[in-house]
Amino acid sequence: MLPEQESLTLYRLPASSINEAPASLGSITLGVETPEAGRLLGSERIVVFPEPMVVSVYEGARWHDDAPVLVQQRLIEALQESGLFASVSSGKLPTDYTLLSELRSFQSEYIQGHPEARLQLDVKLLDANRQPVASRSLSASAKAESVEIPQVVAAFGEAGDELSRELIGWLHGELSNQY
């Protein structure tokens, strides 16, 4: 007799809602590579810090893909929606610039008994010759409306939008100085 499988719900981030955008940079193209991440954040598990110095994951819940891939997709979608670049791709095609990153935080943390989605991404912009142009650490957070997993996932979406807006503003500032 086989052991019972745990009931598993797969989650995806809610649709992005980046409304405002700075002026277009013209014909510049950007590749966004999948962020690097440690073993815990580099998986499909939804990480939670229920109390200081305790790391856990939500039981019976997973992201539909590895967290770094979700972040990459979110950034590409937001950057495409912003119209800042002529094209934005996954970094596999030749582009004028490439965005490398390391995912430092992608977890829910309980603050005074309430979950809050926290994201931190260290980014580095490279030119077409793979030479560094600029780097920065970006972070964002959003409080969940309740402790229910769908509400926590919604908070990840809000924090992802905040992080995307911060990234778009930073890229515009860095690259408008170049041209």
Side-chain angles (χ1 to χ4, degrees):
M1 181 149 192
L2 296 174
E4 284 186 39
Q5 287 188 324
E6 80 175 293
S7 174
L8 191 62
T9 303
L10 297 179
Y11 289 92
R12 61 187 178 96
L13 290 172
S16 157
S17 61
I18 307 294
N19 297 324
E20 74 281 346
S24 170
L25 295 170
S27 63
I28 298 174
T29 59
L30 178 70
V32 179
E33 294 194 4
T34 306
E36 297 292 325
R39 190 175 61 155
L40 183 64
L41 296 180
S43 74
E44 297 171 353
R45 301 183 76 114
I46 303 174
V47 178
V48 57
F49 296 177
E51 56 188 79
M53 300 186 348
V54 175
V55 178
S56 189
V57 294
Y58 285 104
E59 189 174 322
R62 299 277 190 280
W63 295 116
H64 75 89
D65 209 334
D66 289 344
V69 173
L70 295 179
V71 171
Q72 177 196 33
Q73 292 169 347
R74 182 61 159 225
L75 296 177
I76 289 172
E77 181 182 323
L79 287 160
Q80 287 172 336
E81 187 180 318
S82 76
L84 187 61
F85 296 93
S87 73
V88 181
S89 65
S90 64
K92 294 183 180 25
L93 300 173
T95 55
D96 298 315
Y97 291 94
T98 301
L99 188 71
L100 301 180
S101 60
E102 183 177 354
L103 188 59
R104 310 283 255 149
S105 298
F106 192 77
Q107 73 261 353
S108 168
E109 292 183 23
Y110 274 72
I111 312 295
Q112 298 176 349
H114 300 285
E116 187 172 296
R118 299 230 168 168
L119 282 67
Q120 181 180 353
L121 192 67
D122 293 347
V123 295
K124 183 180 283 190
L125 185 64
L126 306 178
D127 65 17
N129 296 318
R130 307 281 295 176
Q131 295 301 308
V133 174
S135 62
R136 182 163 181 192
S137 183
L138 308 169
S139 62
S141 62
K143 292 182 180 177
E145 291 182 14
S146 75
V147 297
E148 301 298 318
I149 295 173
Q151 297 303 317
V152 172
V153 168
F156 272 98
E158 290 174 33
D161 285 349
E162 182 184 327
L163 189 99
S164 295
R165 282 190 286 274
E166 190 176 337
L167 175 66
I168 290 165
W170 175 72
L171 286 169
H172 182 266
E174 289 298 326
L175 294 175
S176 59
N177 293 334
Q178 303 278 329
Y179 292 92

